[in-house]
Amino acid sequence: MCGIIAVILAAPGQDAAPEIHQALYYLQHRGQDACGIATCSRGGKILQCKGNGLASKVFHDGARVGNLPGYMGLGHLRYPTAGSSANSEAQPFYVNSPYGICLTHNGNLINAPELKEHLDKEAHRHINTESDSELMLNIFADELNETGKARVNATDCFMALERMYKKCQGAWACTAMLAGFGLIGFRDSHGIRPMVLGERPSTEVEGAMDYMMASESVALSQNGYSNVRDILPGQAVIIEKGKKPVFKQVARQENYAPDIFEYVYFARPESIIDGISVYRARQLMGYRLAETIKKQLTAQEFAEIDAIVPIPETGFVSAYAVSKHLKKPYCQGFVKNRYIFRTFIMPSQTARQRGVRAKLNVVPVEFKDKNVLLVDDSIVRGTTSREIVNMVREAGAKKVYFSSCAPPIANAHIYGIDLASPHELVAYHRDREAIAKHIGADAVIYQTLEDLESACAQDSPRTGEKQKFEVGVFCGKYVTPVSDGYFRHLEELRGEVKKPKVIEAAREAVNGGFAQDEEVKMATNGATVKHNGEVVAMDDEDDMAAKMEAMDLKHSSAVNGAGPVGQKLGEDVKPDARRGDSQDVSLHNFNDYEA
């Protein structure tokens, strides 16, 4: 899950960066790992500023935006999915050939290994990061290069996209900028990831329009854009400077199945995604959940409920609907610290556990000697839920019932929202009773998948059987074909990303004198990643076998038969302590090391 923004202004003397910077804050909830802005100034020069951290940190509360002149530009907020959290993977990405292209990407490519091999062996393009967004940019650039022209037009761009769509599999909503030419927006053939386009009269050029594209309509409406429309599945739009948008279906619309998690959790309530109000969808989720609660609780349990309490903030709308439907008091039992961000998005389990209590404070008077029904949007790992139940019991609650607006999550999310590895999900191989015991609740009530889909589809402009959703996390059935090998690849990739953090935590435990045997072994021998993504300590006898396996893997995937410059096959890559990860082009970069 990421946030994308693109702006092109009618007046060539106006700068797009301040508006993009402002829009980043409206979409900050979509990613707090990294962000960036790239603009195109006079002469087609690309300027950019990007790095790890929140928008306020990367842009020094707006002080650096003035260094990004240009009438058009892209913005991106990154939540890491595939790949790492390295500074070099902040977006927008840039390639100088052909024509100077920047790209932002929200989604995930499920055939990334095949694309990387194609770019290496056939297109001869170097990929510098583990991000599949860089892969997509280079696939598009390679197809656009087929024109052989000094300058391209909209038709060339559409044709390049058509060829790119035939190679890429997965989910994406992307914006691209060609130096001196204009903006491009495009969306996957199933409509999994959202993107909207809006317009606004120019303040300087009479009769002309400014245009903005973004992941959510809230970014457009807050900046004065109207006539908002969704980019359709398989559709692309090109906005050349000084011209109106041109739309083209570059791939057949295979489906119209937005990710239902946008409505459950990720999107802001005031946003409208694919014609469906997020606020109204959550309200209807609450009404349907209330009916399930009445069915699953006994008459005595239901009668004893003293209060309906939402888990801030995505649970507010649904909890109020539950309260209204059940005719039970609605109580704001938690106070949220607005300076702590979403614990689900935090990079490690330990950080999430610490973050829950930092994020939420209980109001003891709302819980003492009461039986309470908590309403949350979903239960993912169970970390937050367990801590919340503990806090409520510490505040004096007699009984705690925990309800979820989403069904049990027991499968991987593969389209750009890295919920967790399946074995980390609390619903993985657990029933409701086991989950309730795990989080310490007296009972757990889940929304049914049928009711969730019905709630989101009720007000859809695509009525009846036409409105589908991506719901693979709940049932394991995804809207695109997925090979079994991809799930293994995804788990191993997640494990490799986690491994340095796990080893560092083991060393800290040893230094602190509270390490377990496994942590001592890991601090001494290092770690290896199992096929399910689990990071475990390496045994002495496993060390040689692991290195031999690594040698085989690196030999098969190495570029031109060798690893990075100066690296022997099978040899671990040691980071250069003198600098952070490399960047392509920019004015200001925050390297991820301390001087």
Side-chain angles (χ1 to χ4, degrees):
M1 178 193 70
C2 296
I4 59 173
I5 301 159
V7 171
I8 183 166
L9 304 177
Q14 283 188 313
D15 291 336
E19 193 164 286
I20 297 172
H21 175 250
Q22 183 67 29
L24 290 177
Y25 293 100
Y26 297 124
L27 299 182
Q28 185 75 83
H29 60 285
R30 299 189 67 87
Q32 293 128 37
D33 184 67
C35 66
I37 294 175
T39 60
C40 181
S41 64
R42 291 181 180 179
K45 185 177 182 181
I46 301 292
L47 305 169
Q48 71 177 15
C49 172
K50 62 179 183 176
N52 283 352
L54 303 176
S56 57
K57 172 192 172 184
V58 173
F59 296 101
H60 287 193
D61 294 319
R64 291 192 160 178
V65 174
N67 294 323
L68 297 169
Y71 64 95
M72 66 175 176
L74 308 180
H76 189 267
L77 294 150
R78 182 176 186 268
Y79 162 66
T81 50
S84 73
S85 296
N87 184 67
S88 61
E89 297 190 6
Q91 297 185 39
F93 279 115
Y94 167 82
V95 291
N96 68 336
S97 177
Y99 315 117
I101 310 171
C102 286
L103 179 135
T104 66
H105 171 222
N106 173 28
N108 197 42
L109 298 179
I110 61 175
N111 64 331
E114 293 84 356
L115 293 176
K116 192 168 187 176
E117 184 174 7
H118 165 77
L119 288 169
D120 172 30
K121 295 182 178 180
E122 297 183 37
H124 310 304
R125 283 182 168 268
H126 174 68
I127 302 301
N128 199 47
T129 72
E130 296 300 320
S131 172
D132 58 349
S133 305
E134 188 185 11
L135 295 176
M136 175 162 271
L137 170 59
N138 277 272
I139 292 290
F140 175 58
D142 187 55
E143 295 299 339
L144 198 58
N145 195 50
E146 292 297 313
T147 64
K149 295 181 179 179
R151 297 289 183 269
V152 290
N153 55 37
T155 300
D156 297 324
C157 295
F158 282 134
M159 292 178 66
L161 286 171
E162 289 176 4
R163 295 190 297 271
M164 185 198 76
Y165 270 60
K166 293 176 182 178
K167 288 187 171 69
C168 297
Q169 299 173 16
W172 58 83
C174 299
T175 59
M177 178 173 65
L178 270 65
F181 175 77
L183 299 180
I184 306 174
F186 51 96
R187 193 177 179 192
D188 69 80
S189 300
H190 298 269
I192 300 171
R193 299 262 62 86
M195 187 163 67
V196 291
L197 168 69
E199 61 184 23
R200 180 189 64 191
S202 172
T203 57
E204 295 198 8
V205 181
E206 187 175 354
M209 290 287 185
D210 301 329
Y211 297 96
M212 175 185 278
M213 290 181 279
S215 298
E216 293 184 36
S217 60
V218 63
L220 277 62
S221 60
Q222 290 296 102
N223 281 287
Y225 288 84
S226 59
N227 295 330
V228 176
R229 60 174 290 175
D230 296 288
I231 305 301
L232 299 176
Q235 187 180 64
V237 57
I238 293 178
I239 313 173
E240 296 182 58
K241 58 179 181 179
K243 297 183 180 181
K244 294 181 178 181
V246 178
F247 298 87
K248 183 176 174 58
Q249 198 72 26
V250 294
R252 189 181 72 174
Q253 182 174 311
E254 300 289 347
N255 212 326
Y256 205 140
D259 189 342
I260 208 164
F261 235 88
E262 291 283 353
Y263 304 98
V264 171
Y265 179 77
F266 288 112
R268 284 176 55 148
E270 64 268 47
S271 287
I272 297 174
I273 296 177
D274 291 308
I276 302 171
S277 164
V278 176
Y279 180 92
R280 178 60 175 161
R282 290 177 184 169
Q283 193 176 51
L284 293 169
M285 289 177 209
Y287 292 143
R288 284 164 173 76
L289 178 60
E291 285 297 315
T292 302
I293 290 168
K294 287 197 295 185
K295 293 175 184 176
Q296 293 189 3
L297 294 182
T298 67
Q300 182 178 349
E301 288 172 332
F302 180 78
E304 290 176 347
I305 293 175
D306 297 308
I308 309 296
V309 182
I311 308 302
E313 290 179 346
T314 44
F316 282 158
V317 178
S318 298
Y320 184 74
V322 169
S323 169
K324 186 177 178 181
H325 195 76
L326 297 181
K327 296 180 173 58
K328 295 285 185 177
Y330 174 84
C331 300
Q332 296 266 0
F334 295 95
V335 177
K336 183 178 181 181
N337 182 348
R338 298 183 181 277
Y339 302 99
I340 300 292
F341 286 89
R342 291 177 165 184
T343 53
F344 150 65
I345 296 182
M346 288 182 175
S348 70
Q349 184 81 342
T350 302
R352 284 187 290 272
Q353 290 174 327
R354 291 196 303 263
V356 174
R357 289 180 181 260
K359 182 178 73 169
L360 294 177
N361 294 327
V362 298
V363 181
V365 70
E366 297 291 3
F367 295 108
K368 186 171 177 57
D369 298 325
K370 292 183 179 180
N371 300 318
V372 295
L373 173 67
L374 307 180
V375 180
D376 205 352
D377 54 80
S378 59
I379 307 174
V380 184
R381 295 175 178 89
T383 306
T384 298
S385 306
R386 185 169 58 244
E387 288 299 317
I388 286 172
V389 171
N390 288 339
M391 292 164 64
V392 170
R393 293 201 184 277
E394 290 168 7
K398 292 189 296 184
K399 289 187 177 180
V400 182
Y401 303 103
F402 203 105
S403 63
S404 167
C405 293
I409 300 170
N411 300 279
H413 195 294
I414 62 172
Y415 298 121
I417 302 175
D418 193 16
L419 294 177
S421 297
H423 68 272
E424 296 174 329
L425 298 168
V426 71
Y428 186 69
H429 291 169
R430 287 190 181 101
D431 58 18
R432 285 198 306 115
E433 289 72 22
I435 294 169
K437 182 178 180 180
H438 180 80
I439 69 173
D442 291 279
V444 170
I445 302 99
Y446 279 103
Q447 182 95 268
T448 68
L449 180 55
E450 182 181 0
D451 282 347
L452 176 60
E453 291 183 288
S454 173
C456 294
Q458 180 168 313
D459 288 352
S460 169
R462 295 161 297 282
T463 56
E465 294 299 317
K466 292 183 180 181
Q467 182 58 71
K468 302 293 184 181
F469 295 98
E470 161 49 37
V471 293
V473 290
F474 305 118
C475 62
K477 297 178 181 178
Y478 301 93
V479 299
T480 65
V482 187
S483 66
D484 292 336
Y486 177 73
F487 291 102
R488 175 174 170 175
H489 163 75
L490 192 61
E491 292 307 306
E492 291 177 345
L493 187 59
R494 285 172 174 152
E496 290 297 338
V497 171
K498 288 191 299 184
K499 186 167 74 172
K501 298 175 183 177
V502 174
I503 294 174
E504 182 61 29
R507 289 171 179 165
E508 289 179 2
V510 170
N511 292 335
F514 52 86
Q516 302 295 319
D517 291 344
E518 180 76 4
E519 291 171 314
V520 173
K521 187 188 297 184
M522 188 176 294
T524 305
N525 298 337
T528 186
V529 178
K530 298 173 70 174
H531 293 320
N532 66 354
E534 184 181 0
V535 181
V536 298
M538 184 183 291
D539 293 324
D540 291 332
E541 57 268 25
D542 293 339
D543 185 61
M544 182 58 68
K547 286 188 176 180
M548 292 299 293
E549 181 181 1
M551 182 180 294
D552 291 340
L553 290 173
K554 287 173 183 175
H555 181 73
S556 64
S557 60
V559 177
N560 295 329
V565 177
Q567 177 200 352
K568 297 178 181 179
L569 289 176
E571 186 177 70
D572 289 335
V573 183
K574 297 182 179 179
D576 188 345
R578 296 170 296 174
R579 64 176 180 84
D581 291 324
S582 63
Q583 300 265 359
D584 34 55
V585 56
S586 67
L587 286 171
H588 306 291
N589 290 320
F590 294 83
N591 289 323
D592 29 12
Y593 72 94
E594 294 182 0

